[in-house]
Amino acid sequence: MKFNQLTKIFGLSLLVAFTACKKYGYEVPDGYPDDSQNIADGTIDTNMKLIDKSMYAKARVFPGLVDQSEPRVKDAQFTLDLNFTDQTAQNLRISVAPSPQYSTGYYAAPGELIKLVVPAGIDGLTVQIGAHTDNLAGKSPLLRDPVIYNRKKLVSGVNYIRNLYGGHIYILATFAYASPVTFSITGACASPDFILGQSTDTEWINRVKASSVPWLELRTKRVIFTIPRDKVLATFNSAEPFTNPTLAMTKWNDVFDLDYNAWMGLSDNAPDIRDRSPQSQWRGVLDIQLTNGYGHNGFPFVGTNDSEWFRSFTSVKSLNTSEGQWGSYHEFGHNCQQGSVWSWSTLGETTNNLFSFKVANRIGANYNILHPAVSSGFPKAIAYATAVGTKNFDTDAAMNAVDEAPFMKMTPFVQIFELYGYGAMTYLYKEARHADRLNTNDITKHNFVYEKLSDYTKIDLAPFFDAWGILISDAVIAKVSAKYPMLNKAIWTYNPLNKTGGTAAYDPTRVISVSSLQSTTSDLGSNLIDGNTATFWHSKYSPAPTAAETFPFTVIIGTGTRTAIPVKGITFNQRTSNNNGYIKDVEIFASNDNVSYTSVGTTTVPQNANKYDFNFPGGSVNTKFIKVLIKTGASTVFCSLAECNLIKP
């Protein structure tokens, strides 16, 4: 009996001991957040001395431990300006917008309890521990646990939170406060962050060397990068030491001010919220494993924790003209795409990269260094646009090479920027934000880009879109052509890499058909509109033409436009070297469908080689097709003609 009593007492003491071990306290039953985004209101053991070391082995691998010698603060105060305008992706009509996430400058060691005091009257806040929010559930093999951050709602007064893996401490705001808010924190370590305008290079270097906090932030007004401290230390003895963060982060701030916000037409004090810059910083973070690819967009955007991505955040060379900068601009560009209005489905890896060209244009960088595929992709794309025939920009194999397609497809955009100004992109973005509706299919997005770029350039760019095979609707073409003159230069031949081409005159007029042709190699119908009187069209004479191949002869000329345009007459040039082939009596017809024709005049062409202009007696006609019926000539069997072209107002 006595033995049994002792056994019960011992067992009860073990139960109490094991229960006490579980009283570290978490907001979820097992201590592990599930990334559900549902912030629980759990209770927590407030004994600051208790440390949950159960994940030390994993935290040591990533994101890292904090040495016990690192000072933990007690009742330290920090103040945050929470007076923000919540600029959403819906307002901006972009993929991702930064949310109000505020850096505190403090870091929680793995498993250690953090005490956070919120002043009275302050509600709607959440505390987050951990910058690495990529959920790796389903990845195999795992290099770190799937979820290594957690969040907890804050209330006025004392709050407690811990994270088994540790991490930076953030305050997330639901709504704004007009006055700055001062918090008190206990148990955290000071992070050796660099803050542009507040930190000096020398004192920051000293803090990095003295700290054992594994991660730090580089902060500017516009962007925050979260990087590992060990990589910073490694640069101090390298060929490219990261010892001038002021210069690097100033350049990054400029990029976001000038090449993202300003290029999209956003400013801090815009009266319309749709045109207001994001009030929170964009964020980029390095991670040892990603949910997708080598880097991916989002808030924060994530890059692989290697030397290449680290340099893309920190290297002044990569931000200058001496080297290309691609990855960071690429992912931030994904965040800024307006896929719901104008960036259509085949431009997913294209329009995000236009920001790289904007930066390069501003700083005078050579476009060829931006990416290896630029130098090969652009010329191939221009060759595609220059070629004749039916095209489809989105589906043609020639525009969908595995490695070069994104670079080929950005060529027409860069051509417009280079020839008409980079403000074309600003106009697109602003018009998209203010559009009455979203566009749900590719053709309406094509139409939007065509119409808005035509509005910006004050030119009907239909020939440009046709050359690229970007399909656009006749109804929209009619609307645009009624406002602006037709493009008259072959701008699709312009090469942004060497700044050449794009100046040749362009006339969409073309010979649709001739009823009789002597040769298919030299006496071409197209010679009638080539502007060269030394070339000519000749009807068939050998072998002897059939009845259908002699008088009357028919020449059909198309305006090359989707809508009817004014034509006021026809200009004729007889062939200079063969007067027995002169044409004589002709009748002119007009049509909008190349089926039903209406006569617009008759004339007798002079029997000499001088240029002869015949203006329609009734004035200009709006038409898409002109038919020239050659009734008689100097010969009764054949005829030839050097020029037969449209006279446009």
Side-chain angles (χ1 to χ4, degrees):
M1 183 72 177
K2 189 174 183 180
F3 174 78
N4 289 341
Q5 186 70 19
L6 288 172
T7 301
K8 289 179 180 179
I9 293 172
F10 179 72
L12 182 60
S13 65
L14 282 177
L15 178 61
V16 171
F18 280 111
T19 302
C21 289
K22 292 296 184 182
K23 292 177 70 177
Y24 298 132
Y26 294 97
E27 290 69 53
V28 288
D30 59 2
Y32 301 94
D34 61 3
D35 197 36
S36 67
Q37 307 300 316
N38 296 317
I39 314 299
D41 292 315
T43 58
I44 199 165
D45 192 320
T46 60
N47 186 342
M48 299 291 292
K49 295 182 180 180
L50 291 176
I51 301 175
D52 188 336
K53 301 179 181 179
S54 61
M55 287 292 120
Y56 263 27
K58 291 185 176 181
R60 186 188 305 277
V61 174
F62 192 85
L65 300 179
V66 179
D67 195 86
Q68 289 299 312
S69 64
E70 185 72 31
R72 272 65 167 172
V73 299
K74 183 176 182 181
D75 299 325
Q77 291 190 334
F78 64 93
T79 301
L80 299 178
D81 181 2
L82 304 180
N83 190 18
F84 66 93
T85 298
D86 190 12
Q87 187 59 294
T88 65
Q90 288 74 24
N91 282 341
L92 299 175
R93 291 184 170 170
I94 60 177
S95 300
V96 178
S99 60
Q101 175 178 327
Y102 293 88
S103 298
T104 65
Y106 291 99
Y107 193 96
E112 297 187 21
L113 191 64
I114 303 300
K115 176 184 175 183
L116 194 61
V117 181
V118 179
I122 303 299
D123 300 307
L125 301 180
T126 297
V127 59
Q128 173 181 310
I129 296 182
H132 301 92
T133 54
D134 237 3
N135 185 348
L136 304 183
K139 299 287 287 188
S140 179
L142 282 170
L143 302 183
R144 65 162 173 84
D145 275 355
V147 180
I148 60 173
Y149 77 102
N150 63 334
R151 292 172 177 161
K152 181 183 179 181
K153 291 178 181 178
L154 292 175
V155 297
S156 296
V158 179
N159 300 265
Y160 295 91
I161 187 172
R162 76 170 85 234
N163 185 328
L164 294 175
Y165 309 89
H168 276 103
I169 301 170
Y170 303 101
I171 301 297
L172 314 181
T174 304
F175 44 81
Y177 288 91
S179 300
V181 178
T182 299
F183 301 82
S184 173
I185 191 168
T186 298
C189 306
S191 175
D193 298 345
F194 176 85
I195 305 174
L196 185 64
Q198 297 182 30
S199 307
T200 67
D201 293 343
T202 300
E203 64 90 9
W204 174 75
I205 291 170
N206 291 334
R207 285 193 294 114
V208 171
K209 290 179 177 179
S211 178
S212 66
V213 173
W215 290 80
L216 59 90
E217 292 190 331
L218 306 173
R219 294 193 249 159
T220 77
K221 179 182 179 181
R222 301 299 185 192
V223 64
I224 295 176
F225 293 125
T226 305
I227 59 175
R229 175 178 158 271
D230 61 353
K231 279 189 166 53
V232 175
L233 290 173
T235 71
F236 292 162
N237 296 316
S238 70
E240 190 181 352
F242 182 47
T243 54
N244 192 349
T246 297
L247 179 58
M249 299 316 292
T250 297
K251 288 185 177 294
W252 266 114
N253 212 55
D254 288 345
V255 165
F256 277 91
D257 270 336
L258 302 173
D259 306 316
Y260 283 84
N261 288 343
W263 202 31
M264 291 187 288
L266 304 174
S267 59
D268 289 347
N269 300 312
D272 192 321
I273 190 173
R274 292 173 294 181
D275 299 324
R276 205 167 297 167
S277 306
Q279 303 295 293
S280 302
Q281 292 105 328
W282 295 94
R283 289 180 177 270
V285 62
L286 301 182
D287 203 331
I288 60 170
Q289 191 170 16
L290 283 60
T291 54
N292 184 36
Y294 183 51
H296 68 74
N297 72 306
F299 183 75
F301 103 74
V302 188
T304 301
N305 185 25
D306 62 10
S307 58
E308 183 67 24
W309 273 105
F310 177 81
R311 289 189 72 255
S312 79
F313 286 179
T314 62
S315 171
V316 174
K317 286 184 179 180
S318 71
L319 291 164
N320 273 336
T321 59
S322 56
E323 291 186 6
Q325 164 67 278
W326 195 260
S328 299
Y329 296 164
H330 176 96
E331 301 303 347
F332 282 124
H334 271 309
N335 285 347
C336 294
Q337 284 176 298
Q338 290 185 315
S340 63
V341 184
W342 66 267
S343 183
W344 59 86
S345 64
T346 65
L347 300 180
E349 292 297 327
T350 294
T351 51
N352 60 311
N353 293 318
L354 295 176
F355 293 92
S356 296
F357 286 89
K358 171 60 171 66
V359 180
N361 176 265
R362 176 174 60 84
I363 66 178
N366 185 335
Y367 294 162
N368 286 288
I369 69 172
L370 295 178
H371 192 282
V374 170
S375 59
S376 59
F378 272 41
K380 288 182 180 179
I382 294 168
Y384 170 85
T386 305
V388 297
T390 303
K391 304 175 190 176
N392 190 310
F393 180 89
D394 296 321
T395 62
D396 285 348
M399 286 296 290
N400 285 281
V402 174
D403 296 323
E404 294 170 321
F407 309 94
M408 296 177 69
K409 289 180 177 178
M410 69 183 70
T411 309
F413 292 96
V414 179
Q415 286 176 330
I416 293 293
F417 299 156
E418 289 281 306
L419 295 174
Y420 297 100
Y422 276 73
M425 186 78 149
T426 311
Y427 189 79
L428 264 182
Y429 265 84
K430 190 166 185 176
E431 288 294 303
R433 290 195 300 273
H434 291 262
D436 292 334
R437 58 178 175 78
L438 303 180
N439 291 318
T440 57
N441 58 61
D442 281 356
I443 191 65
T444 57
K445 294 174 185 179
H446 292 181
N447 289 338
F448 184 90
V449 175
Y450 159 61
E451 181 177 359
K452 298 308 175 184
L453 290 182
S454 294
D455 286 341
Y456 178 78
T457 61
K458 306 301 181 187
I459 298 170
D460 181 359
L461 294 174
F464 179 76
F465 280 73
D466 285 343
W468 279 106
I470 301 172
L471 308 181
I472 47 181
S473 301
D474 287 344
V476 181
I477 294 172
K479 177 182 176 183
V480 172
S481 65
K483 295 190 290 183
Y484 308 117
M486 179 70 69
L487 177 69
N488 59 9
K489 292 190 297 184
I491 61 173
W492 52 88
T493 64
Y494 173 75
N495 188 340
L497 302 182
N498 57 23
K499 317 298 184 188
T500 62
T503 59
Y506 167 71
D507 186 340
T509 304
R510 64 187 189 276
V511 173
I512 303 296
S513 66
V514 289
S515 62
S516 178
L517 184 65
Q518 171 58 29
S519 170
T520 59
T521 58
S522 59
D523 304 336
L524 301 174
S526 59
N527 291 341
L528 291 169
I529 60 170
D530 66 359
N532 182 1
T533 57
T535 62
F536 54 87
W537 158 74
H538 203 302
S539 68
K540 187 176 181 182
Y541 62 86
S542 178
T546 65
E549 295 172 318
T550 187
F551 289 101
F553 298 109
T554 300
V555 176
I556 296 177
I557 302 170
T559 62
T561 59
R562 301 286 189 86
T563 58
I565 64 170
V567 177
K568 70 176 185 178
I570 300 291
T571 184
F572 295 95
N573 276 97
Q574 301 274 23
R575 180 184 172 191
T576 59
S577 61
N578 188 2
N579 58 14
N580 68 347
Y582 284 168
I583 68 170
K584 188 175 183 182
D585 297 311
V586 299
E587 185 172 4
I588 316 299
F589 299 83
S591 172
N592 283 327
D593 59 8
N594 199 20
V595 176
S596 299
Y597 277 91
T598 301
S599 177
V600 293
T602 61
T603 188
T604 298
V605 181
Q607 301 298 285
N608 59 59
N610 296 329
K611 180 173 178 285
Y612 170 64
D613 290 341
F614 171 65
N615 293 315
F616 302 147
S620 296
V621 295
N622 287 323
T623 186
K624 294 170 66 177
F625 301 94
I626 289 289
K627 178 167 66 175
V628 179
L629 185 66
I630 304 172
K631 297 179 177 180
T632 64
S635 166
T636 59
V637 179
F638 62 84
C639 69
S640 60
L641 190 62
E643 291 293 306
C644 179
N645 212 335
L646 308 182
I647 302 175
K648 300 174 185 176

